[in-house]
Amino acid sequence: MSAGPLRRAIAALGMLALIPILAMMASGAITPIDAAIRALSVAAAVIVLGNVARAFLTGALRRVERRASAEERRTAPDEQLPV
């Protein structure tokens, strides 16, 4: 199954957000349990961000589509008049 470009971009940003946790764990600043809790928090934030972005983009694209179809309906009867 193929993921869309928005989902791939958000996943990449989520992976980048895990780098500081990895660095802190590697340096011994946090324990593996603390790192797991922080990683789960990042995962939850990425999922929420993805859903919000998807909802926003879906709404915006539907709004543009409705405006285009309304404009098309307004201009269509004029084009059908006999010459």
Side-chain angles (χ1 to χ4, degrees):
M1 185 166 27
S2 176
L6 177 65
R7 183 175 281 176
R8 284 192 299 265
I10 291 173
L13 290 175
M15 294 299 285
L16 289 175
L18 293 175
I19 292 174
I21 298 170
L22 173 68
M24 286 188 287
M25 194 173 98
S27 68
I30 58 175
T31 65
I33 294 173
D34 291 335
I37 292 170
R38 290 179 186 208
L40 286 174
S41 300
V42 167
V46 166
I47 290 170
V48 168
L49 176 67
N51 288 336
V52 168
R54 181 184 49 83
F56 174 76
L57 287 176
T58 300
L61 291 174
R62 284 186 182 160
R63 201 173 315 123
V64 168
E65 185 178 350
R66 272 190 246 124
R67 286 182 186 166
S69 65
E71 182 68 29
E72 187 177 288
R73 278 184 263 147
R74 258 187 270 142
T75 58
D78 295 338
E79 295 171 0
Q80 295 176 358
L81 293 174
V83 178

